[in-house]
Amino acid sequence: MAKIKELDDLEITEKERSFIKAADMNKAKKNKGGRPKKNIHEKASEQIFINVTKDEKAKIESAAKELGISVSALCKISLAKFI
């Protein structure tokens, strides 16, 4: 029995051929997943460093946790009031 290597070697109708091509998982494009990339104007690329005491850091982390956001998000929200 000879192996069928190509879809053209099969004696099938055009409707069956298109169904087989649509179901062929090897040729399907795979979705990478994840979120779409941000454009250059939305991307945060700059950093600001500040020094705080252990007590200040604990208060900031506690407030962020209570609000359910990151420390970075809390700082951005707080600073946005002044700029």
Side-chain angles (χ1 to χ4, degrees), residues 16-66:
E16 291 169 329
R17 187 180 313 277
S18 64
F19 176 78
I20 292 170
K21 281 186 177 182
D24 187 7
M25 298 303 279
N26 294 333
K27 295 180 182 179
K29 290 184 180 180
K30 289 191 176 185
N31 184 355
K32 290 183 179 179
R35 65 177 297 288
K37 290 189 176 191
K38 291 182 177 182
N39 69 38
I40 193 88
H41 301 292
E42 294 176 316
K43 200 172 192 179
S45 62
E46 301 298 316
Q47 296 177 333
I48 298 174
F49 297 96
I50 61 169
N51 293 320
V52 294
T53 65
K54 285 185 180 185
D55 288 340
E56 289 170 334
K57 183 178 179 183
K59 286 179 184 178
I60 293 168
E61 289 173 339
S62 174
K65 186 175 182 178
E66 188 175 310

